[in-house]
Amino acid sequence: WLHTTGATDATVLILAPPGTGKAAAVGRLAHRLGRPVVLCNLMELFDSEEPSRQLDNLLRICEAQRDCVIYLDKLDKALA
């Protein structure tokens, strides 16, 4: 879809129960796009002693990668 529409930026939300292949799907998408994956476990980020510093680090990594696929794992649990 991204290649046929010419889109350069996109947001995809994948909602599925645990163990159904979300991480694998993200990996395949990144591979197909030729972009690296930046993985962030949000539960670990928010449970850390300095979540704001960890979030700054995540954003710096994403900016350095520029064109990357960002996988925010455990989003549902972090927002619960």
Side-chain angles (χ1 to χ4, degrees), residues 2-36:
L2 295 174
H3 295 291
T4 59
T5 63
T8 57
D9 294 323
T11 301
V12 177
L13 178 62
I14 302 172
L15 296 172
T20 56
K22 294 180 296 294
V26 169
R28 286 191 298 275
L29 175 64
H31 178 75
R32 182 165 180 144
L33 295 173
R35 296 180 180 182

Side-chain angles (χ1 to χ4, degrees), residues 33-67:
L33 295 173
R35 296 180 180 182
V37 176
V38 175
L39 169 64
C40 175
N41 181 320
L42 290 175
M43 287 299 295
E44 290 179 10
L45 185 141
F46 290 130
D47 285 345
S48 68
E49 291 182 17
E50 298 181 50
S52 61
R53 186 174 62 92
Q54 295 296 332
L55 185 57
D56 286 343
N57 289 340
L58 172 65
L59 295 175
R60 264 191 245 110
I61 290 168
C62 293
E63 287 174 352
Q65 293 292 329
R66 300 287 287 167
D67 291 329

